[in-house]
Amino acid sequence: MSSTISKLSRRDFLKAGLAVSSGLTLGLRVGPAPADEVMPFMPNAFVRIGADDAVTIIAKHVEMGQGIHTGLATLLAEELDADWAQIRVEAAPADGSRYDNLNWGGNQGTGGSSSINNSWLQMREAGATARAMLVAAARLPIPTPVKLKEAQDFVYIGRPLARTDGVAKTHGQALYTIDLRLPGMRTAVMLHPPRFGAIPAQVDDTAARAIKGVHAVLQLAEGVAVVAENFWAAARGREALKVEWDESRAITLDSQAQRAQYRELADSAGHSLRADGDAAGAFATPHKLVEAVYELPYLAHAALEPMNCIAQINKTGCELWYGAQSMTSAQNHVAHLLGIAPAQVKINQLFAGGSFGRRADMRADYVLETVRIAQALGDGQPLKLLWTREDDMRGGRYRPAATALRGAVDAQGEVQAWQQRIVCQALRGGGVPKDGKVDKTLHEGASDLPYRISNLAVDVHIPEPGVPVLWWRSVGHTHTAFAVESFIDELAHAAARDPLELRRSLLRDDPQRLAVLELAAAKGDWGRPLAKRRGRGIAVHRSFGTWVAEVVEVKLGDAESFTVERVTVAVDCGIAVNPDVVRAQMEGSVGYALSAALSGEITFKNGAVVQGNFDNYPLLRLSQKPAIDVHIVPSSAAPSGVGEPGVPPLAPALANALFAATGKRWRTLPFRTPSAA
Amino acid sequence: MGKLTINQREFDIRADDDTPLLWVLRDELGLTGTKYGCGKALCGACTVLIDGAPRRACVTPIAAVAKQSITTIEGARSKLAQTVIKAWLDLDVAQCGYCQSGQILAAVALLEKNPHPSDAQINEAMDGNLCRCATYVRIRTAIHRAAEQLA
Ligand code: FES
Ligand code: FES
């Protein structure tokens, strides 16, 4: 880590000393230098101290709402002893040699709730080193390794400091990709094929070109691009296009048929991932046999800022401006496309108006689309591609999954066997790979089942319906947690045991999971009687190194309607670097998961995505948001992420609450109607 | 094609009369605090105030507001607006921040009409403003807090 922290020359240091004297709370004074010698002090890749006293922290992770700029700044400022009021945050450029995600070695990127975890020591060391340079003054070199603070000496870490991006974001001043205007820039809108796999065959662009402001119409492999002076002209140009598509390779997927196919697959044995004990034997003579199939639809990420990117190709390479989750991978893709070196692809990081995994597309889909348009134009000018909401919803998707579960309970109410069969698309294509390494996003949270059950079997089927899939906030845990945490509840009821008590008995070796479970139960009033037509459900799950338990309370309305009234969250994420950001992420995750549970569903009809905008893909609204209490388990462990782990427990806790209220099992998401009596 | 009064300033506009106000604000005038989220009056990201009332700029042709006073987030300077923004900051409402210009203007319009909105009235006034980051709990609290501070 300290290898990324460059040495500072004594001369630079002395110059910097002057600039620094009032920007930090070190009480440090270095002898006066001529005014023209004052320059920014940049002791390493992560901090710069300017002549204006501003301490600028260079953030290697994209800020997409999760509060990472604030978190990274907190870590560095803590060890630098910087005055929080002087802190500014600047996004780092793409440079995997200095700004890689240490959990992903060499790869710069943001995802898997890994940002705080991989930066925990790096940013603190960067701050401590800079501080040591300042304090050591003329006594260079500075000591290595540099000493970090003990937890009891933290001034900023663990405090609810205000977000560094709050002021810009509440004044309409934060710069997102959609906002950036560069000299000579044009805007493109792309007409995508109506079905995955189709390509444009015949394009009549006469009417489109006649529209005022339309500059060019380009037929590309991905579709037809309309390039114009501004968005509105481009959008009108697109409406005027007449395109015939070659659909010979297009998919013809139909959601109803897919569902039937997945259920059928769930009936036959798949590729085994885990086989402990003798599940088959235990199922031969169960006292009680419980069987259930859980189904999940495709989901769009639906970040409020639709996907977009700006690209400019010039003699030295290609420059991009956007909110980038996968910087190194995007550099590689773009370099490959243009036949240049990855280092020639410069990325300027901007705020992202939400992402939830979408901007980390491993094929860099919309980024490559932008570059291809800029390449086809060949004018060396900056080009902005802006997807409309419809483009975004029909281009961004998750995978549907079906999971069949069987459980055997003995006469004493003990769980004797558990068999889980997952049918789910993989990120890298269908079928079991030759090396047998199954994409863990199919089974994370299932093959590592925390419950102590001696006869345990997990297997998978990996179909390939031709729909590109991607990670979606909490990735594999979205579907595994729903199945696992619903089913353990079903087993508890079959065994006539309290769902909390059954979990407790099966988690004796898992103290951290137990602790969040107990905390959520206590704060969520588990066991306290409820009024009629109400129900309470609980679920616990670990993802990305963070344990979260949730207790959901529902109230039934007329017919089959219900309201989620209250959600109690307990989270163990190690040290909460900023407890208010942790709370905000739990509140947001509950909302995101609830949105999916109540109405999130992308369906296909004859290969085309049915939904296009928020009228038929409704998002959670203010009136639907329950009261949410978040309780953070005190910890001295290194921090783990909080952007995603609040999502997985919500749907099963809600399903369990609905069961408690109605006596019916809710196994098919979204929960429009109960699926089984 | 005419003039628009935005944030108490008059602008000469080149765009055609039927161009949605949103794209004139963003692409012609560089007032990018007003966001695009859906283009169909379904999300509220483009909310601006027209003579003080919230309107979706994405479906409002400029010709329809030629004679009215338009306020965008950049011009939200009234005492009430500043109080709302302050409450937003105190609670650190914004996550990705993309919806927040629209949320804040919708809240300003609500409090202008109703200085002490109930939860039900907040639901009614704010339900068309989607927040994908689901910052709703804090939005509600911030509106109540701004109301208290204005009392
Ligand atoms: S962009 Fe106008 S309401 Fe969504
Ligand atoms: S803060 Fe991200 S959409 Fe509202």
Side-chain angles (χ1 to χ4, degrees), chain B residues 16-105:
Chain B
D16 291 342
D17 280 354
D18 60 352
T19 310
L21 175 62
L22 173 64
W23 299 106
V24 172
L25 291 172
R26 295 186 53 82
D27 285 353
E28 190 169 334
L29 303 175
L31 292 169
T32 55
T34 310
K35 301 302 190 207
Y36 163 81
C38 70
K40 295 193 172 155
L42 297 168
C43 78
C46 65
T47 303
V48 296
L49 303 182
I50 306 288
D51 287 341
R55 279 272 277 278
R56 307 298 186 224
C58 67
V59 293
T60 304
I62 48 174
V65 290
K67 300 211 167 53
Q68 283 148 294
S69 160
I70 302 163
T71 306
T72 70
I73 188 73
E74 290 89 349
R77 301 234 174 81
S78 66
K79 176 167 170 261
L80 192 152
Q82 289 303 314
T83 308
V84 170
I85 287 172
K86 169 89 172 29
W88 243 250
L89 280 171
D90 286 348
L91 288 153
D92 245 340
V93 173
Q95 290 189 24
C96 85
Y98 196 76
C99 70
Q100 299 297 347
S101 302
Q103 305 282 3
I104 289 168
L105 291 179

Side-chain angles (χ1 to χ4, degrees), chain A residues 282-333:
Chain A
F283 279 117
T285 53
H287 173 69
K288 260 195 189 139
L289 176 69
V290 185
E291 289 181 296
V293 177
Y294 301 92
E295 295 168 298
L296 298 95
Y298 282 108
L299 294 170
H301 301 74
L304 206 56
E305 179 189 20
M307 296 307 108
N308 49 18
C309 181
I310 299 168
Q312 182 170 25
I313 303 171
N314 54 32
K315 287 193 191 68
T316 57
C318 179
E319 189 162 358
L320 302 169
W321 291 260
Y322 71 113
Q325 261 191 277
S326 303
M327 293 178 95
T328 303
S329 135
Q331 278 182 303
N332 291 338
H333 279 291

Side-chain angles (χ1 to χ4, degrees), chain A residues 156-204:
Chain A
Y156 294 147
I157 292 173
R159 264 185 46 202
L161 296 171
R163 286 178 66 124
T164 57
D165 51 356
V167 172
K169 286 178 174 177
T170 40
H171 288 82
Q173 300 298 336
L175 193 70
Y176 304 85
T177 310
I178 196 173
D179 302 329
L180 183 63
R181 218 172 12 165
L182 297 167
M185 189 180 83
R186 293 202 168 90
T187 301
V189 167
M190 183 77 119
L191 181 68
H192 293 104
R195 291 166 176 80
F196 294 113
I199 48 171
Q202 200 82 37
V203 178
D204 175 357

Side-chain angles (χ1 to χ4, degrees), chain B residues 10 56 60 89 94 105 108 111 123 126 128 151:
Chain B
E10 212 168 74
R56 307 298 186 224
T60 304
L89 280 171
L105 291 179
V108 167
L111 290 169
N123 286 350
M126 303 294 296

Side-chain angles (χ1 to χ4, degrees), chain A residues 64-65 169 176 302-305 352-356 619, chain B residues 93-100 103 129-136 139:
Chain A
M64 44 195 178
K169 286 178 174 177
Y176 304 85
L304 206 56
E305 179 189 20
S355 179
F356 315 110
L619 304 186
Chain B
V93 173
Q95 290 189 24
C96 85
Y98 196 76
C99 70
Q100 299 297 347
Q103 305 282 3
N129 285 82
L130 302 179
C131 176
R132 186 55 163 155
C133 302
T135 62
Y136 298 124
I139 288 174

